[in-house]
Amino acid sequence: MTALRTRLPDRLTSRRGAWVSLGIVLIAFVVLFGLFSRIEAPSGNETAPADSESSRVSALLDEFPDADEQSVIVVASRADAGELTASDIDALGDIVPALDAHTGLESSPPSVSDDGEAAVIVAPIKVGADNAETAEIVNELRSALPAVDGLTLQVTGGPAFGADITSSFDGADFTLLIVTILIVALLLIITYRSPVLWLLPLVVVAFADQLASRVTGALGSWLDLQFDAGIISVLVFGAGTNYALLLISRYREELAVNDDHRVALSTAWRKTVPAIVASNVTVVLALLTLALAVIPGTRGLGISSAAGLLIALAAVLFALPPVLAVCGRKVFWPFVPKTSASDPAAPRRESVWHGIATRVMKRPMVSLVSGLALLAVMATGLVGTSVGLDMASKFRVQSESAAGLEVLAAHFSPGESQPIFVIASSDGADEVLDAVDSVDGVVRAHPTGETEDGDLARIMVTGEYAPGTGESLDLVAELRDVVHDVPDADALVGGAEARDLDARAGNQKDLLLVAPLVLAVSFIVLLVLLRSIVAPIVLLLVNLASAVAAIGVGSWLSRVLFDQPALDLQVPLLAFLFLIALGIDYTIFLVHRARAESESRGTREGMVQAVSHTGAVITSAGIVLAAVFAALGVLPLVTLGQLGLIVGVGVVVDTLVVRTVIVPALFGALGDRIWWPRSIRNRPTQKF
């Protein structure tokens, strides 16, 4: 392994080897890109566990003759918010034949609300094979609706919500990609202050992102995974750019003592690859723990993201070095590093980071208490935080289905838009129906058909509560308790509301399972890298505190600044995972350097020098990663915006507070004991 680390970077950076390496990389990219380019990942978006009651009901509903039929609701209200007139109602009645002609199915006549200010038409449609096809059908229906003077017509209901979610992503991934590239490009230009250098890592990571999108699509197809491609793109760009920053920063240092830029680059590769690989392995293993998740989208995201990050690692370690070697020292123009006699690892006493680290080391307990107090204040944002958004709150931009639901809720029973379905044996259907009718909160319940063999009956239940509210979820739970008690009926409760209830339980289960595993993975990586027991425990506890603080302040900002009443279901788990795993990244970058410096300078001075040498690159990497995650805010779903906000804020705090103040303060307070049971070979006297 040592021989490989010695020979490989020399071959990647030598005059002939660099060109050969580039050729191999390009051939591999073209072959892999072509191999996977025609494979597309599944487009499903199941939010509940596969073995949940709602998922079983969904499978049973497919056995009914009209399984491909679902209903949308056309909500009509006056533009002036007044009562509907007789002519308005007649005009709505004239719409029904047009709807029936378009759908080929029979719609209900207009039903007017008790206050006379709104009316609804229930229109069954044949849904498509997937969300994209259903979105097309719903949009065509909206276009086919005749205009009625003075009335606003809005199509809402379950299929319409799914259609709006799908349609809202039209072009969104491309927008995210462009915004991400622009953010990374701008920050790299600021970091490198070079008109050329920023292009090299950006191009390499962009190629890695495109390959990752094809490979993860193939994985999704082969393993039937569901995931959000936008998050994978953000991870590839963020992590890939971070690795490149670390490598190029060390390359710049080595150029100060090596006339031959190829030798400098080879040395930089050898000295940074342990930290880069360790940080990548941490995140990849943490993501792979999601393979144990019960929520399909969470499980798929873990496996596909892990694959994307491995591709980003390979690109930075094997494609970027030969590119830098071919370009040479002048790629840093106009600030080309000049060779001097000084050691690149020599103490830096002129930098801002050296000054900060020195002040922290003089009074480590004061710095530690101050930093932890800040995290504690941030964590108070968790007070009042709830989890679970209703359907209307999931869109960052108002949609027609959400607007229609608001009108419906204002004038009718809000549960009209999301009926609950009960599947029972035909022999026990009457008893189940009587039991359902006895439950408070049920507006009406009626049979809507049987399977062709007559074994199963379907009952549609309309509740009086708005979808996604606590009352609505409690109603589903109560219905389940009641129908399960009907003997020999084998009754199950499903539908959108039941799926929401199961999704909440599934996400809670995933959080309780995955969070400890992520902490365990991070601890093991730190244990192997640092060969210490004290340091991994202390560093992981700090990282945990930082993650909790970031989720707290992110939740508070979501409520106060963006008027979002709750976090979406997947946000706590994904935010925790990314904050822990990515935070460990920066810990590894810093502490790996501190360990090397401590061997010759002692623990406290070693940490001062580590902060001095890595402060700028870790800060740059953190800002890049935070900005890239913030780019998720351009996507239309609140879920992704919340995730981007929490992780973005958390990375900035982790970079500027945890790595700059808290971790150095811990090293100052514990001294050589931080490395126990290892010992430092050289322990010079340190004065601060």
Side-chain angles (χ1 to χ4, degrees):
M1 186 67 181
T2 303
L4 178 64
R5 278 184 56 196
T6 301
R7 292 196 302 268
L8 182 57
D10 291 338
R11 291 177 179 176
L12 287 172
T13 58
S14 68
R15 190 177 301 277
R16 182 170 176 269
W19 287 107
V20 172
S21 300
L22 277 178
I24 293 173
V25 166
L26 287 174
I27 291 171
F29 175 82
V30 171
V31 170
L32 292 173
F33 197 87
L35 188 63
F36 299 123
S37 61
R38 297 183 181 179
I39 303 176
E40 293 186 4
S43 58
N45 186 30
E46 294 296 329
T47 56
D51 61 350
S52 64
E53 186 167 338
S54 60
S55 294
R56 284 183 284 158
V57 168
S58 180
L60 291 173
L61 287 173
D62 290 338
E63 298 180 15
F64 286 78
D66 56 354
D68 61 342
E69 294 180 16
Q70 294 184 32
S71 294
V72 295
I73 302 173
V74 181
V75 182
S77 59
R78 286 195 60 84
D80 60 8
E83 290 190 16
L84 299 176
T85 64
S87 61
D88 291 335
I89 297 171
D90 290 340
L92 289 175
D94 294 338
I95 286 178
V96 174
L99 280 174
D100 293 350
H102 180 78
T103 63
L105 301 169
E106 186 176 347
S107 304
S108 71
S111 175
V112 182
S113 62
D114 292 339
D115 60 12
E117 295 181 2
V120 296
I121 299 171
V122 179
I125 62 171
K126 289 189 178 293
V127 296
D130 54 31
N131 291 337
E133 193 175 330
T134 300
E136 237 179 86
I137 293 168
V138 171
N139 290 332
E140 288 174 1
L141 174 66
R142 285 169 170 162
S143 300
L145 275 177
V148 180
D149 289 341
L151 293 185
T152 299
L153 302 180
Q154 296 167 317
V155 178
T156 188
F161 270 110
D164 286 343
I165 290 175
T166 301
S167 299
S168 66
F169 275 91
D170 290 342
D173 285 341
F174 178 75
T175 301
L176 175 64
L177 179 62
I178 295 301
V179 170
T180 301
I181 289 174
L182 290 176
I183 288 172
V184 172
L186 176 62
L187 292 174
L188 287 178
I189 290 172
I190 294 172
T191 300
Y192 293 135
R193 296 175 295 165
S194 167
V196 179
L197 180 57
W198 65 275
L199 275 170
L200 304 186
L202 182 62
V203 169
V204 168
V205 175
F207 271 94
D209 174 66
Q210 290 303 300
L211 180 58
S213 70
R214 300 303 189 277
V215 172
T216 54
L219 275 176
S221 177
W222 296 337
L223 302 178
D224 193 26
L225 303 177
Q226 301 173 17
F227 55 85
D228 191 298
I231 295 179
I232 298 174
S233 186
V234 163
L235 281 173
V236 170
F237 265 98
T241 305
N242 277 196
Y243 304 152
L245 282 167
L246 190 66
L247 175 64
I248 294 174
S249 173
R250 192 59 188 250
Y251 177 36
R252 187 196 294 268
E253 286 185 33
E254 296 297 333
L255 285 172
V257 293
N258 284 289
D259 290 324
D260 190 334
H261 71 276
R262 298 180 189 277
V263 174
L265 183 56
S266 177
T267 303
W269 193 96
R270 283 194 298 272
K271 290 184 176 180
T272 56
V273 73
I276 292 174
V277 170
S279 66
N280 179 268
V281 167
T282 303
V283 183
V284 166
L285 292 178
L287 286 167
L288 287 177
T289 62
L290 295 181
L292 302 174
V294 297
I295 301 298
T298 303
R299 183 171 62 250
L301 180 64
I303 297 172
S304 54
S305 296
L309 285 180
L310 288 173
I311 291 172
L313 174 70
V316 172
L317 291 186
F318 303 116
L320 184 57
V323 170
L324 291 170
V326 168
C327 294
R329 184 189 296 262
K330 291 183 179 179
V331 76
F332 288 93
W333 184 87
F335 301 100
V336 180
K338 296 180 179 179
T339 305
S340 65
S342 61
D343 183 350
R348 291 188 175 184
R349 302 198 177 274
E350 74 286 351
S351 71
V352 172
W353 306 106
H354 185 276
I356 293 173
T358 301
R359 285 193 291 273
V360 168
M361 209 58 69
K362 284 180 178 178
R363 304 179 68 187
M365 290 307 300
V366 173
S367 299
L368 180 60
V369 171
S370 300
L372 293 177
L374 175 61
L375 297 184
V377 171
M378 293 171 58
T380 59
L382 289 171
V383 177
T385 296
S386 58
V387 178
L389 291 169
D390 60 40
M391 188 64 75
S393 301
K394 290 188 176 183
F395 291 95
R396 184 174 56 84
V397 180
Q398 183 73 303
S399 65
E400 181 174 331
S401 54
L405 178 60
E406 290 180 1
V407 176
L408 187 68
H411 304 286
F412 291 90
S413 294
E416 297 281 0
S417 66
Q418 295 281 28
I420 300 166
F421 291 98
V422 179
I423 303 295
S425 64
S426 296
D427 294 338
D430 290 339
E431 291 182 64
V432 170
L433 186 59
D434 291 339
V436 169
D437 278 328
S438 68
V439 175
D440 290 338
V442 173
V443 175
R444 62 180 177 276
H446 60 281
T448 58
E450 292 185 342
T451 54
E452 291 182 354
D453 58 14
D455 288 343
L456 298 176
R458 181 180 60 201
I459 299 171
M460 187 169 76
V461 182
T462 301
E464 65 175 288
Y465 308 114
T469 60
E471 295 91 343
S472 179
L473 298 173
D474 289 341
L475 176 60
V476 172
E478 188 174 356
L479 284 172
R480 284 179 170 173
D481 290 339
V482 168
V483 303
H484 291 170
D485 288 339
V486 177
D488 301 323
D490 297 325
L492 300 172
V493 178
E497 279 303 281
R499 186 165 56 248
D500 190 8
L501 181 65
D502 292 337
R504 290 169 187 254
N507 277 282
Q508 183 177 17
K509 180 179 179 181
D510 285 347
L511 179 61
L512 295 176
L513 171 66
V514 172
L517 291 177
V518 172
L519 293 173
V521 165
S522 302
F523 176 76
I524 291 170
V525 172
L526 287 174
L527 193 69
V528 172
L529 182 70
L530 302 179
R531 288 171 288 169
S532 162
I533 294 177
V534 175
I537 293 174
V538 170
L539 294 172
L540 197 58
L541 287 174
V542 170
N543 214 45
L544 177 61
S546 176
V548 171
I551 295 173
V553 74
S555 304
W556 180 79
L557 290 172
S558 293
R559 294 196 303 272
V560 174
L561 296 183
F562 303 107
D563 196 27
Q564 296 165 358
L567 297 178
D568 203 21
L569 295 178
Q570 287 183 296
V571 170
L573 172 58
L574 295 181
F576 181 84
L577 182 146
F578 290 140
L579 287 167
I580 292 291
L582 296 173
I584 291 294
D585 265 14
Y586 299 124
T587 297
I588 289 171
F589 293 164
L590 174 63
V591 179
H592 180 264
R593 184 64 179 260
R595 192 189 71 175
E597 297 284 351
S598 297
E599 294 293 342
S600 59
R601 308 181 194 283
T603 297
R604 292 183 175 86
E605 176 62 23
M607 176 53 73
V608 171
Q609 294 307 316
V611 173
S612 303
H613 284 280
T614 65
V617 66
I618 288 179
T619 301
S620 298
I623 291 173
V624 168
L625 189 62
V628 167
F629 263 95
L632 286 173
V634 306
L635 295 178
L637 289 184
V638 167
T639 304
L640 299 177
Q642 289 180 338
L643 182 63
L645 172 65
I646 292 173
V647 177
V649 170
V651 169
V652 170
V653 171
D654 202 77
T655 303
L656 298 179
V657 178
V658 176
R659 298 316 141 216
T660 307
V661 177
I662 296 178
V663 170
L666 280 169
F667 274 66
L670 294 175
D672 292 345
R673 289 169 293 179
I674 196 81
W675 305 115
W676 188 87
R678 292 180 66 231
S679 59
I680 301 300
R681 289 178 298 188
N682 183 13
R683 302 178 185 174
T685 302
Q686 301 164 342
K687 295 180 180 180
F688 293 95

